[in-house]
Amino acid sequence: MDILGPIGPIDTEMAVEFRRQGVLGRLLSGIHYILPDPPVSAAARLFALPAHDAVDRISCLPESLLGNIVSRLPVKDAARTAALSSRWRGVWRSSPLILVDADLLPVDGTAGARADARRVTSAVSCVLAAHPGPFRCVQLTSSYMEEFRGPLTRWLELLAANGIQELVLISRRWPLDIVLPATFLDMATLTSLYLGLWKFPDTADLPRATSFPNLRELGLCGIFMESKDLDYILDRSPVLETLYVETNLFKLRLRLVSQSLRCVLLIGCFFEEIFVVDAPSLERLILSEACIPNDSCTKVKIGYAPKLHLLGCLELDPGTQVLEVGNTVIKVTRLQRSELSDKVR
């Protein structure tokens, strides 16, 4: 029996593993909700013409429209279009690549989770090697990365060389002891980047010239990193508009200095301090389902953010969050919490 999982189908073997590693299952479930939808239709399929319709009208369409059709198919069907006729032979290779590795999982899943993941890994390597680029969107969520570190490094090199624009890269490893290869820092063409369940490389040894000049959307999901690593990425993303941080597994101080950032969404996180230093374009700062340890407190400081019109959702538990705007400090005490509860009743 197959179980619907957070990222692609989960067979019985994987379900057992998730029950044994409950933390991993919860993290993957949370990551699923913030991942962007791929630009392909999972329901799209390639079918032969009906027997009564002998005229192939689709093949008569302009090359650009054929490429548009191919780009909406799951990668297995998209590559198969080359066998339709000589008219279609080069369409897939000449269209920007869209690869969602979950589409490569076997339908029956009878071989088991690990065996299926190995098949997917092999297929991903073949697809990336066969397509000359450019790469529009690649979502890699189904491999056990600890087993495929060699292929992963090669994948990242190919993605960087072929102008990847949108990348989702999720590991399925717990604990978080696999360091994300620093090769991803060479992807200057990225417009959207989502990373999940990795240990971030130490930025102290990375080149200062690294830059993400086109990155507009960044999602960090269950990433083990330090405040300086987050500062490193933000400082090198001059057009970044949206930042998601989900289930950070460490104590962080978030310091926002950005001329372009418009929305910051923090889900299931604990930050010792969130300091909006200089963010003239920031419109929304949202804290959702904050995980605040006992005897701890998150301090939210608003410096320069003239366009900020939505700040939520601050917790009502006494002493867990402090809001500081300019010289004004707002802190919920136990007495205020009691009075508020009486008013709600």
Side-chain angles (χ1 to χ4, degrees):
M1 179 182 68
D2 284 347
I3 300 173
L4 182 62
I7 305 176
I10 298 177
D11 66 16
T12 304
E13 178 185 336
M14 191 179 292
V16 171
E17 183 172 345
F18 274 10
R19 283 193 290 269
R20 186 171 64 250
Q21 301 183 6
V23 173
L24 177 60
R26 289 194 295 273
L27 287 174
L28 287 172
S29 295
I31 290 171
H32 166 72
Y33 290 107
I34 73 166
L35 289 182
D37 293 329
V40 296
S41 172
R45 290 294 180 267
L46 187 64
F47 294 99
L49 287 170
H52 63 273
D53 190 352
V55 180
D56 180 6
R57 296 181 178 85
I58 295 180
S59 295
C60 298
L61 294 173
E63 188 85 13
S64 59
L65 287 181
L66 295 182
N68 194 301
I69 292 171
V70 168
S71 69
R72 297 175 188 273
L73 293 171
V75 67
K76 286 191 292 187
D77 289 320
R80 287 172 184 158
T81 59
L84 292 176
S85 69
S86 58
R87 179 77 173 87
W88 288 84
R89 191 163 298 151
V91 174
W92 177 69
R93 285 173 52 84
S94 63
S95 303
L97 176 67
I98 297 175
L99 170 60
V100 180
D101 69 349
D103 293 337
L104 299 171
L105 287 168
V107 177
D108 53 12
T110 55
R114 293 279 175 171
D116 287 345
R118 293 186 184 100
R119 291 182 186 177
V120 169
T121 301
S122 177
V124 167
S125 294
C126 291
V127 170
L128 294 180
H131 200 286
F135 294 172
R136 176 187 167 191
C137 175
V138 174
Q139 295 195 358
L140 304 175
T141 64
S142 303
S143 293
Y144 291 86
M145 298 299 182
E146 73 273 17
E147 296 185 6
F148 311 112
R149 301 191 192 195
L152 174 61
T153 301
R154 179 58 181 155
W155 292 350
L156 295 179
E157 291 172 351
L158 287 170
L159 294 174
N162 287 282
I164 181 65
Q165 295 179 22
E166 302 170 25
L167 176 62
V168 174
L169 187 61
I170 308 298
S171 177
R172 287 180 172 269
R173 169 74 175 180
W174 184 264
L176 303 183
D177 55 0
I178 301 181
V179 179
L180 179 65
T183 317
F184 85 95
L185 295 169
D186 297 328
M187 301 178 187
T189 53
L190 279 173
T191 60
S192 174
L193 174 63
Y194 282 77
L195 301 172
L197 300 180
W198 295 98
K199 185 176 182 181
F200 206 81
D202 186 0
T203 54
D205 301 324
L206 296 179
R208 291 184 175 273
T210 298
S211 176
F212 296 102
N214 302 292
L215 187 64
R216 295 186 178 277
E217 188 171 345
L218 174 63
L220 302 172
C221 316
I223 300 295
F224 190 89
M225 66 193 311
E226 299 181 18
S227 294
K228 65 179 180 63
D229 302 324
L230 185 53
D231 291 341
Y232 181 92
I233 295 297
L234 296 181
D235 290 346
R236 287 158 177 78
S237 305
V239 298
L240 185 67
E241 295 181 352
T242 304
L243 171 65
Y244 296 98
V245 181
E246 197 261 342
T247 316
N248 65 308
L249 307 175
F250 38 81
K251 289 185 176 181
L252 270 185
R253 288 181 171 87
L254 178 60
R255 183 174 173 272
L256 296 178
V257 178
S258 171
Q259 300 300 302
S260 59
L261 203 57
R262 298 178 59 190
C263 177
V264 176
L265 177 58
L266 312 174
I267 305 174
C269 298
F270 170 59
F271 288 91
E272 291 181 331
E273 180 180 79
I274 301 169
F275 187 10
V276 182
V277 181
D278 183 12
S281 300
L282 186 64
E283 299 172 0
R284 292 176 290 171
L285 175 60
I286 302 172
L287 291 74
S288 176
E289 303 174 16
C291 296
I292 302 177
N294 293 333
D295 302 321
S296 297
C297 175
T298 294
K299 186 175 184 179
V300 182
K301 296 175 63 178
I302 307 298
Y304 184 69
K307 294 185 178 180
L308 183 64
H309 61 79
L310 178 59
L311 177 61
C313 308
L314 295 178
E315 302 290 334
L316 289 176
D317 290 334
T320 59
Q321 291 184 343
V322 176
L323 174 61
E324 181 177 324
V325 183
N327 295 323
T328 303
V329 178
I330 303 172
K331 182 176 182 179
V332 178
T333 65
R334 295 187 182 278
L335 178 59
Q336 290 171 326
R337 171 64 184 273
S338 177
E339 292 173 346
L340 181 59
S341 298
D342 291 338
K343 291 179 180 178
V344 172
R345 287 197 295 268

